[in-house]
Amino acid sequence: MTDIVHFHRLSYRYGDSPDVLTDVSFRLGQGEMAFITGHSGAGKSTLLRLVALLSRPTRGQVVVNGINLSTLPRRRVPEFRQQIGIVFQSFNLLNDRTVHDNVALPLVIRGYRHQDIGRRVRAALDSVGLLGKEKMLPLMLSGGEQQRVGIARAIVTKPALLIADEPTGNLDPQMARDVMQVFERFHQAGVSVLVATHAIDLIRRMPHRILHLDHGRISQDSPSGFQDTAG
Amino acid sequence: MNGAERDGVRPPWLSRWTEHHARVMFTTLGRLWREPLSTLFTAAVIGITLALPAGLHVLVQNVRAISYSWEESLQASLFLKDSTSPEQGRALTQTLQRRPGVARAGYISREQSLAEFRELSGFGQALDLLQDNPLPAVIVITPRRELTREQLQQLMNEFSALPEVEIAKLDQKWLERLYAILAIVERVVYVIAALLALAVMVTVGNTIRLDIENRREEIMVMKLIGAPNSFIRRPFLYTGVWYGLLGGLIAWLLLYGALQALTGPALRLASLYESTHSLTGLSPASSLLMPGVGILLGILGSAWAVGRHLVKHEPS
Ligand SMILES: Nc1ncnc2c1ncn2[C@@H]1O[C@H](COP(=O)(O)OP(=O)(O)OP(=O)(O)O)[C@@H](O)[C@H]1O
Ligand SMILES: [Mg+2]
């Protein structure tokens, strides 16, 4: 099986500060779903930023979807980002545009036709259970609903890889569970999913691999969350 | 990557391109429309800035045209030598009358000159004290209008060389001066126009810069979800185009209104000076030029702002 994400002996530091990630190596298989956990400041967000090419590795290699990010020229970055779906903790929705227009944005960027956009946006909203809310503005929705709009926007282009940085960080436990289930469903539909989260209790009950980061190193790589990760 | 290309749902690139540009055009126009006051204010600043040099240009053109129409009354006086007899003088007048470049030639004898002078000057009694008539006979020449200034000068040289003629004088010093002044004024207008064009670009650029600042979140999100720079740039460039177009139209309206308001008084003035000149207005070409220049400056201004400020908003 080819890997969708491959970190090879990767190190990263911001400017002159010490390494935030040190010698990180792991593979995420095609269609696999995994969680990244770790204490605050462990480097979870940094790791995801490297996958989305928001930062470039200081040392080592990151290969995503067969593309070596260390050598990808700047002008090809947008094209690369179009291949992955990104979900943010702070939603990052455009609050002056309707739910429909927010979800449509990635399609507009790719130059889809008007009719196709409508069809795909409705399908994406349907898959996160927000079909009736197309015309609403993001701020009229609850946090969980806004996060699901963000997920719909990330998957509307049917990316092969979905990454999410603390997608449940701002949500109450019930909403958090709902959102995690949405990710679960995409995973079952064949999408590779990588989620950074603090919600240990939530993910332990899910049958997925957990990568544990400790001060920038992978301290534990358990194949299933059913295992005890405290050890 | 995704299934779109395989499905064949992507239209051919051209219709996609047109659809996208049309969409951006109307979205940006809609955005400006929803803030009519600030849009109008910016466009008015651009309009006034554009109208100023255009108005000055029209003014210079009109002054030049009016002064040329006055040239009709331009006359050359050939003062004849005292040794020239009235018969010789009349014969010469006949000859000159047939000369190409001469519209009219009239002979004024010494006696006529004296009578005229007496009448006009009021120095009649003083002249009586003189024994001889001090005034020469004069041939008054009206040159043809179509002569260029060089041809006129050459004509004057020929007149001066005539054996009967003492001095040939052309009554046009003030016109020469006016032309020289106009040439300078015109150059000043060009400099002003260049400076004001820069001002328009800065106005548009600054408006777009504020727009970029207000939309930094949006720009960041766009970059995060893979929007290429060209995509992010486009709405701002179109906004610049709209501002330039609106400004150009306002400039045209201002100028048109000013010319309309001035036409009446100008005609009255012209009739006072027995001139048939009416105001030279805006030709269709120069009417189109103003929105065109507006659009060009709008694009340049916004491109400058976008080039400087868009790169700052990298997602982090
Ligand atoms: N822009 C930055 N410049 C300098 N240092 C940074 C920057 N962003 C993060 N860091 C540092 O890098 C380390 C890892 O940060 P990161 O955001 O990846 O942690 P995290 O695991 O996501 O934490 P949290 O759970 O709190 O979100 C931290 O020590 C942080 O201080
Ligand atoms: Mg983080």
Side-chain angles (χ1 to χ4, degrees):
Chain A
M1 188 167 75
T2 50
D3 300 315
I4 188 94
V5 179
H6 182 191
F7 276 53
H8 178 69
R9 306 208 59 177
L10 177 128
S11 296
Y12 183 81
R13 68 166 77 115
Y14 292 94
D16 292 333
S17 51
D19 279 0
V20 168
L21 292 175
T22 317
D23 203 15
V24 171
S25 297
F26 79 94
R27 294 163 183 271
L28 184 74
Q30 199 78 244
E32 193 181 0
M33 177 162 180
F35 293 106
I36 303 167
T37 61
H39 61 90
S40 184
K44 305 182 291 296
S45 299
T46 307
L47 192 147
L48 289 184
R49 288 175 53 82
L50 287 159
V51 175
L53 204 45
L54 292 164
S55 307
R56 284 182 186 263
T58 311
R59 287 188 305 281
Q61 310 242 308
V62 181
V63 181
V64 176
N65 208 12
I67 298 167
N68 189 337
L69 302 192
S70 316
T71 54
L72 192 70
R74 240 181 118 79
R75 69 196 145 77
R76 306 266 312 270
V77 170
E79 191 186 321
F80 162 74
R81 273 192 205 137
Q82 288 181 12
Q83 299 180 13
I84 55 180
I86 312 174
V87 179
F88 310 91
Q89 176 175 7
S90 52
F91 314 146
N92 273 344
L93 301 174
L94 304 180
N95 291 327
D96 60 343
R97 304 203 193 178
T98 61
V99 166
H100 176 280
D101 288 356
N102 267 284
V103 177
L105 202 54
L107 301 174
V108 174
I109 288 170
R110 287 162 180 75
Y112 279 69
R113 263 199 174 155
H114 195 65
Q115 309 89 286
D116 301 327
I117 290 177
R119 193 165 46 77
R120 282 165 184 265
V121 168
R122 274 190 300 280
L125 283 173
D126 192 24
S127 69
V128 297
L130 285 178
L131 199 47
K133 317 241 173 185
E134 289 170 86
K135 297 239 157 58
M136 297 176 91
L137 293 175
L139 294 180
M140 298 157 75
L141 303 176
S142 75
E145 287 170 329
Q146 289 187 51
Q147 190 56 285
R148 281 186 279 157
V149 174
I151 297 172
R153 183 182 63 190
I155 54 89
V156 72
T157 56
K158 301 181 185 162
L161 173 65
L162 187 59
I163 61 176
D165 190 4
E166 302 200 26
T168 61
N170 292 331
L171 308 179
D172 69 37
Q174 178 58 43
M175 280 186 186
R177 237 185 326 274
D178 289 353
V179 164
M180 281 302 183
Q181 262 155 30
V182 171
F183 284 114
E184 176 77 34
R185 271 209 305 283
F186 285 114
H187 161 63
Q188 274 155 19
V191 181
S192 315
V193 183
L194 190 58
V195 180
T197 183
H198 279 295
I200 301 282
D201 296 337
L202 193 60
I203 61 174
R204 240 184 230 162
R205 278 181 263 133
M206 299 170 86
H208 298 299
R209 182 175 159 200
I210 296 177
L211 289 159
H212 190 77
L213 274 180
D214 191 1
H215 294 99
R217 293 174 187 271
I218 294 185
S219 65
Q220 210 167 9
D221 188 349
S222 35
S224 159
F226 291 122
Q227 283 188 359
D228 181 38
T229 52
Chain B
M1 200 63 257
N2 54 66
E5 240 137 0
R6 289 193 302 273
D7 297 345
V9 290
R10 276 197 189 191
W13 68 270
L14 185 62
S15 73
R16 222 167 58 201
W17 187 90
T18 353
E19 191 182 309
H20 173 62
H21 275 259
R23 194 185 344 222
V24 175
M25 260 171 79
F26 288 114
T27 337
T28 48
L29 186 61
R31 238 181 241 162
L32 294 175
W33 187 256
R34 259 171 274 132
E35 290 181 43
L37 269 185
S38 67
T39 301
L40 209 61
F41 182 76
T42 307
V45 171
I46 296 167
I48 292 166
T49 317
L50 283 176
L52 208 63
L56 286 175
H57 180 71
V58 171
L59 189 71
V60 171
Q61 292 304 312
N62 275 291
V63 171
R64 192 191 297 279
I66 291 170
S67 55
Y68 187 69
S69 76
W70 282 343
E71 222 166 344
E72 214 171 4
S73 57
L74 192 66
Q75 287 186 331
S77 305
L78 313 185
F79 298 95
L80 302 182
K81 288 178 181 156
D82 285 350
S83 56
T84 311
S85 71
E87 289 71 32
Q88 284 172 316
R90 289 208 174 79
L92 181 61
T93 308
Q94 296 289 315
T95 321
L96 291 181
Q97 174 80 64
R98 287 188 294 273
R99 207 197 163 287
V102 174
R104 240 171 322 150
Y107 181 73
I108 302 173
S109 68
R110 301 181 63 179
E111 290 70 33
Q112 282 170 307
S113 291
L114 188 63
E116 208 169 284
F117 186 75
R118 208 185 279 279
E119 200 177 308
L120 291 176
S121 68
F123 283 123
Q125 269 125 21
L127 284 175
D128 286 341
L129 295 176
L130 299 171
Q131 279 161 358
D132 288 331
N133 178 358
L135 297 176
V138 180
I139 299 176
V140 178
I141 305 271
T142 309
R144 283 197 182 281
R145 262 202 79 173
E146 59 271 18
L147 291 189
T148 65
R149 230 172 301 167
E150 288 74 33
Q151 288 170 322
L152 195 62
Q153 194 53 52
Q154 193 172 355
L155 198 63
M156 291 309 293
N157 291 343
E158 284 173 30
F159 290 155
S160 303
L162 290 173
E164 296 92 341
V165 173
E166 179 84 56
I167 322 171
K169 276 187 87 169
L170 189 63
D171 184 21
Q172 69 153 24
K173 273 268 144 42
W174 71 274
L175 261 184
E176 292 282 343
R177 259 176 227 148
L178 183 65
Y179 278 136
I181 291 171
L182 279 180
I184 294 169
V185 169
E186 194 159 57
R187 213 166 286 178
V188 172
V189 169
Y190 286 142
V191 173
I192 291 175
L195 287 177
L196 291 182
L198 211 63
V200 169
M201 276 166 56
V202 171
T203 307
V204 174
N206 197 46
T207 310
I208 299 292
R209 182 183 65 81
L210 290 176
D211 204 16
I212 291 174
E213 289 304 322
N214 288 335
R215 297 181 172 279
R216 53 176 305 164
E217 295 269 318
E218 181 179 336
I219 292 169
M220 224 90 95
V221 171
M222 297 262 206
K223 286 192 177 176
L224 281 173
I225 60 177
N229 278 335
S230 59
F231 181 90
I232 298 172
R233 223 180 352 242
R234 210 162 287 137
F236 295 108
L237 293 182
Y238 268 104
T239 307
V241 168
W242 288 123
Y243 276 132
L245 178 63
L246 278 177
L249 290 177
I250 289 178
W252 183 84
L253 275 178
L254 285 175
L255 214 52
Y256 183 77
L259 283 169
Q260 288 297 307
L262 286 177
T263 299
L267 281 177
R268 238 169 292 138
L269 188 70
S271 69
L272 277 181
Y273 284 87
E274 292 170 344
S275 160
T276 52
H277 179 74
S278 62
L279 275 185
T280 314
L282 297 164
S283 62
S286 54
S287 294
L288 279 180
L289 192 67
M290 246 179 291
V293 167
I295 289 174
L296 185 71
L297 294 176
I299 292 184
L300 289 176
S302 54
W304 170 70
V306 165
R308 282 201 47 165
H309 300 286
L310 216 50
V311 283
K312 285 196 314 204
H313 303 311
E314 279 299 327
S316 57

